[in-house]
């Protein structure tokens, strides 16, 4: 299984709703739905003002793959993403601890 890892350090690039739609191949309504379920958390008061980070863009792409491949509903998708990110963090921590030996 191929694993895609992204680490964003000091990246100040932000993407508008329109750019997110273009980069992810999503409709604005779908992005808004994902935001409503906590799958992405943009900065800004309204969809017109939203700005997404590169990490959120990665999360949206990951969500799309999970939804496509596993046909998960939105609440389940939000939970799955949170759990996958927790697993990634724990793996990273284990790897750091192993390197201290």
């Amino acid at each position: 299984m191929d694993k895609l890892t992204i680490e964003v350090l000091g990246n100040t690039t932000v993407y508008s709703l329109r750019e997110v739609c273009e980069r992810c191949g999503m409709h604005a309504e779908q992005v808004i739905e994902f935001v409503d379920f906590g799958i992405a958390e943009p900065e800004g008061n309204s969809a017109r003002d939203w700005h997404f980070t590169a990490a959120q863009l990665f999360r949206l792409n990951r969500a799309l793959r999970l939804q496509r491949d596993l046909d998960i509903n939105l609440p389940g998708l939000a939970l799955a993403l949170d759990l996958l990110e927790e697993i990634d963090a724990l793996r990273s921590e284990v790897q750091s601890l192993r390197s201290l030996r």
Side-chain angles (χ1 to χ4, degrees):
M1 175 190 292
D2 291 332
K3 182 178 177 185
L4 176 64
T5 304
I6 184 171
E7 188 170 346
V8 181
L9 299 173
N11 186 344
T12 57
T13 304
V14 293
Y15 302 93
S16 67
L17 176 59
R18 182 181 194 159
E19 291 170 317
V20 167
C21 291
E22 290 170 0
R23 291 175 183 267
C24 294
M26 299 173 73
H27 294 287
E29 295 80 15
Q30 187 178 17
V31 175
I32 291 167
E33 246 188 335
F34 277 31
V35 168
D36 288 344
F37 279 91
I39 293 167
E41 296 177 356
E43 294 290 322
N45 296 327
S46 69
R48 284 181 189 235
D49 301 326
W50 282 349
H51 290 92
F52 297 81
T53 64
Q56 291 168 351
L57 194 68
F58 174 78
R59 185 173 163 99
L60 286 168
N61 277 311
R62 192 179 210 184
L64 285 172
R65 283 192 315 275
L66 285 170
Q67 190 177 48
R68 180 193 65 226
D69 295 347
L70 302 175
D71 195 30
I72 302 174
N73 65 20
L74 292 177
L77 191 56
L79 176 62
L81 286 167
D82 289 344
L83 292 173
L84 286 169
E85 288 173 357
E86 183 67 23
I87 289 169
D88 290 342
L90 290 171
R91 284 182 177 154
S92 178
E93 187 175 339
V94 166
Q95 187 176 18
S96 293
L97 291 171
R98 284 184 178 159
S99 69
L100 293 176
R101 288 190 206 172

